Amino acid sequence: MSKKTLNKENLQKLGSETLAGLVMDLVQGSATLQRRARMELSAAQGPKDVAADIRKRFASLRRSTSYIDWRQQRALVKDLDGLLGAIESNIAAVDASEAFELLWSFLQLAPSIYERTDDSNGAVGGVMAEAVDLIAAIAPRLSPDPETLAERILEAVAEAAYGEFDGIIPATAEALGTDGLDHLKQITEAWAAQPPTTQDLDRYAGYGFSSSPEEIAYRQKQGTRSIILADIADAQGDVDAYMARYSEEQLTYATIAPGVARRLLDAGRIEDALGVSERAKAAEGATSFMMYDDNLDEVYEECLEKLGKADELKDHLWNAFRENLSKRSLRKYLKLLPDFDDIEAEQKALDLVEAFSHTDTAISFLIEWPAHERAAKVVLARANDLDGNSYHILTTGAAALEPQYPLAATLMRRAMVQDTLDGGKSKRYRYAARHLAECQSCDASIDDYGGFPTHETFVQALKQKHGRKYGFWQLADG
C-alpha cells in the first residue's frame, strides 16, 4: 500500500503537531466538526466534562426554533448520532446513572425537533429508538428507586406526542423489577380513571367535528393505558393480562392475533395458541375480500407442528400457496414430502402458477422461485395482459430473463414504455427511454419475434402515436 494513501496508519505517522494543524483547518467553517472536536477534547478530560458539553448541546437544540429542511436534517441526525455515541463511549461505561439521565434528556428533545422538521423518512425516529436501545443496555446496571422510576415512565409515556418513549418499559423492566412494574400498573390504572385535565382538553380542541375534546382525550388515555399494561404484562410474563386488554372480536384481528398466539406458544400453551389462530383465520376467511397475513400463518403452522398435526399442516400450506402464491408456504410444504414426491409436487405447483389469474403476480413468483423458462412462457402467452405500471416486477423480471429469453425481456420493457407514454407520465420518461434502449440492445439476440412486432416496427408505431412527446424522444434519441 502506498505511503500516500489516506488512512489512519499513514496519518498517525505525521505526528501530533501536523495533525493538530490539519484538524484546525478542517473544522474552520463547520459548526458540526467544531462541536465534535470540542467533544473529543472534553473526553480527554473525563466523563464529567463530556456530560457538561452534551447538556450544553441539548440546551442549544431546545432553544432552536428554525425549520430544518431535508439537507439540514441529515446534518442534525449525524449530530444526534454523535451525541449518542459520546454518551455510550465516554459515560455509560463508567457511570450508568449519568448516562441514563442524559439519554432521558435526549428523548425529551424529541418534541422540539419533530415540530421543526418533516420526519416522514423516519431518520429522527430511528435515532430516538437507538437511545431507547441504549437505555435497555445500561438498565441492568442501574439501581433506581423503583416507584420513582415508574412514575417518571408514566409521565413520559403519557406526555409523549411523537412516540419517542415507545419501548421504554421493556427497556427499563429489569431496573423497575417486580415492585416497580406493580407500582406502574397501579398508577397507570389510577391515571386512566381520572377525568381529562384542562391541558388535555386544550390539546384536543378542534381535533374533530364528530367527537368532543373530552371524548378524544378519553380515547387517548385508554389507548395509552392499554399499551402500558401490555408492556407490563410482557415484562412479567403474564399472557392472560396481555390478552385482557383485547375484546373477543379484537382477538380475531390479523393484526393482533399473531402476537397473542406467539405469547401463548412461548408460555407453552399450545392448544390456546392454536385456538386463537384458528378463530383469527376463520374471521379472515369470512371477509368479503382476500386477506393474507404471513405472521398469522406462521404461528398457526407452528401450533400444528408442535401438536403433531402433519396432515392438517400440509393441507394448510398447500391451500395458502394455491390461494396466494406464497413461496414460503410452498417451500415448507415441499420439505414435508418424501423424496421424489416433492419433485412431482413442485411441477404441479408451478403449473398452477402459470395459470394464475394475475399475470404479474405469476411472473414475479416464477422469477423469484426461480423458474425462468416458465416465466418467459407466461410473458409470451399473456403479453397483452402485462401491467406496465408494475415496473418493480417488470424491471427485475426483464433483467433476469434477458440472458436466455431476450424476447420475453423485450416484451416486459415494451409494456413499461407503452404505459409511460400512454399515461403521459413525464417523470418516468428517462426510465422509459432506458427501457427502449435495452430493447434495442436485445434486438440482435432475437432471431424470431414470432407474432410480435420487430424492434423497428415497434419504434415506428410509438413515434406515430406519441411523436409529440418531445421530452421522451430527446432522451431516447440522445
Side-chain angles (χ1 to χ4, degrees), residues 40 50 71 91 121 183 195 208 273 358 373 379 389 399 469 474:
E40 293 297 333
V50 178
R71 293 183 183 85
I91 300 172
N121 61 3
H183 185 63
H358 195 291
E373 183 178 2
V379 172
N389 193 45
K469 291 186 169 67
Q474 284 178 346

Side-chain angles (χ1 to χ4, degrees), residues 350-351 354-355 359 363 366-367 371-383 401 405 407-409 411-412 452:
L350 295 180
D351 288 342
E354 281 192 45
T359 302
I363 292 170
L366 295 168
I367 292 292
H372 290 176
E373 183 178 2
R374 287 178 178 265
K377 182 180 173 183
V378 172
V379 172
L380 296 177
R382 295 196 246 170
L401 295 182
Y405 309 100
L407 177 56
L411 295 177
M412 296 168 84
F452 300 104

Side-chain angles (χ1 to χ4, degrees), residues 359-409:
T359 302
D360 294 325
T361 303
I363 292 170
S364 178
F365 183 102
L366 295 168
I367 292 292
E368 294 176 19
W369 184 255
H372 290 176
E373 183 178 2
R374 287 178 178 265
K377 182 180 173 183
V378 172
V379 172
L380 296 177
R382 295 196 246 170
N384 292 333
D385 296 332
L386 295 175
D387 180 3
N389 193 45
S390 299
Y391 49 85
H392 294 300
I393 293 174
L394 297 184
T395 300
T396 303
L401 295 182
E402 181 179 336
Q404 288 185 286
Y405 309 100
L407 177 56

Side-chain angles (χ1 to χ4, degrees), residues 408-425:
T410 294
L411 295 177
M412 296 168 84
R413 287 164 177 156
R414 284 182 180 182
M416 290 186 283
V417 173
Q418 288 174 316
D419 177 78
T420 297
L421 296 181
D422 289 345
K425 301 174 182 178

